[in-house]
Amino acid sequence: MTRMRFGAGLLALAALATGLTACGNSGADSIVDKAKNDKKLVIGIKIDQPGWGLKKPDGSYGGFDVDVARYVAKELGVPESGITFKEAQSANREPFIQQGQVDMVVATYSITDERKKKISFAGPYLVTGQDILVRADDTSITGVDSLKDKKVCGAQGSSSPKRLAEKFGAEWESKNLTQQQGYGACLPLLENKQVDAISTDATILAGFAAQFPGKFKLIGQPFSEEKYGIGIKKDDKAGRDAINNAIEKFFKDGSWRKALDANLGEFGKYFTSPPSVERY
């Protein structure tokens, strides 16, 4: 009798655990399953990057990354009403995906081998390069080598400050590099001459320059290649494949060109054709 009760108890515990697991992830092993079953997705975006991911005064969101996110979600079967946007900063994008706080991240997210050890990427959906933003009247900075004796602002967790630190060394990093939570927080420092430059992807800097005509200028001398991808949990191959299919459709039906021109204005012309999706 005791053995029977013990066995029944184990079965009950197993059933409870199964139920809790199902509640925790909606029974979805892949983002494809969650999208299909729940018709809902939580998507990490930047909210302080004009032209890419920006929270507007009315509480809505706009930008190229936001347009990409909505398009992909729709292709996965999730209507716009089923999307919850969540702010993702450069430093927390991988943890957000790993912890299940978001289902995917579309946030000027450069694909790197180091990041691919922790998460998976679909894409790229855009290729850009690291560049430099300065005050409009500054003629002393003409390229990356000019930053050797300058104070530069970057974002915590971004690969851009790390690239400069590797180029100029630890001493330069400690004396010349200021890191903020986001690139939007760097703008006042540049405007008030607390730093001499902001350095990150040309696309991000172009968005800021377009928002404040006449105040800042883009140097236009990129010194890296940045491939923007969509981050999802590691080893979700079904998710990668489905999102890559959506991205390729985004390219082919004209939505990519339309979204770039709508969000980047005159800077949209710098991106003449979409990249090739990298499947793995």
Side-chain angles (χ1 to χ4, degrees):
M1 181 67 72
T2 302
R3 186 179 298 171
M4 289 179 64
R5 277 201 296 267
F6 182 69
L10 283 176
L11 288 172
L13 284 171
L16 177 61
T18 302
L20 288 172
T21 302
C23 290
N25 64 13
S26 302
D29 294 323
S30 167
I31 190 173
V32 175
D33 301 319
K34 179 173 182 182
K36 180 180 178 181
N37 297 333
D38 297 353
K39 303 297 181 185
K40 292 181 181 179
L41 288 174
V42 180
I43 303 177
I45 59 168
K46 296 289 184 70
I47 66 168
D48 63 347
Q49 291 182 351
W52 296 93
L54 189 67
K55 188 173 184 179
K56 301 177 184 179
D58 64 2
S60 64
Y61 298 93
F64 184 76
D65 281 345
V66 176
D67 288 346
V68 171
R70 287 176 175 144
Y71 188 99
V72 169
K74 184 179 178 182
E75 289 300 304
L76 293 179
V78 177
E80 189 171 337
S81 60
I83 298 172
T84 298
F85 286 116
K86 184 180 179 74
E87 180 184 5
Q89 298 172 354
S90 294
N92 65 19
R93 289 175 295 195
E94 286 99 77
F96 267 20
I97 296 169
Q98 291 173 311
Q99 296 163 8
Q101 295 194 45
V102 297
D103 299 301
M104 66 179 179
V105 170
V106 191
T108 56
Y109 202 3
S110 296
I111 300 171
T112 68
D113 290 338
E114 184 178 348
R115 287 170 176 165
K116 284 166 77 171
K117 294 175 184 176
K118 301 175 182 178
I119 63 158
S120 288
F121 279 105
Y125 58 87
L126 193 97
V127 177
T128 183
Q130 185 169 345
D131 212 320
I132 304 164
L133 189 73
V134 300
R135 292 180 292 276
D137 60 355
D138 189 339
T139 58
S140 67
I141 298 174
T142 56
V144 64
D145 290 335
S146 303
L147 299 180
K148 185 175 181 180
D149 301 313
K150 301 293 185 179
K151 294 191 179 298
V152 181
C153 190
Q156 296 168 0
S158 169
S159 57
S160 300
K162 186 183 298 184
R163 184 174 289 108
L164 292 176
E166 290 171 352
K167 178 177 176 63
F168 295 120
E171 186 178 352
W172 180 91
E173 181 180 7
S174 63
K175 291 182 178 179
N176 296 67
L177 183 62
T178 298
Q179 297 195 58
Q180 302 292 318
Q181 283 196 336
Y183 287 103
C186 288
L187 274 183
L189 301 184
L190 179 59
E191 184 176 9
N192 297 326
K193 300 185 177 182
Q194 292 171 268
V195 299
D196 303 302
I198 304 171
S199 183
T200 188
D201 304 348
T203 46
I204 298 171
L205 298 176
F208 285 127
Q211 191 182 34
F212 301 99
K215 278 193 176 184
F216 309 106
K217 66 180 179 182
L218 189 64
I219 295 301
Q221 295 291 329
F223 51 94
S224 74
E225 182 181 71
E226 308 294 330
K227 299 177 180 181
Y228 288 170
I230 295 178
I232 60 174
K233 71 179 181 180
K234 190 168 173 58
D235 298 327
D236 182 3
K237 188 177 187 307
R240 287 201 314 269
D241 289 344
I243 294 172
N244 279 330
N245 291 341
I247 291 172
E248 288 181 336
K249 184 176 178 181
F250 184 66
F251 295 159
K252 291 175 182 176
D253 69 9
S255 298
W256 184 84
R257 178 80 266 155
K258 183 179 178 182
L260 273 175
D261 292 340
N263 290 296
L264 292 188
E266 64 174 302
F267 292 99
K269 66 186 178 185
Y270 291 106
F271 305 96
T272 56
S273 58
S276 298
V277 163
E278 298 173 357
R279 296 178 182 266
Y280 65 99

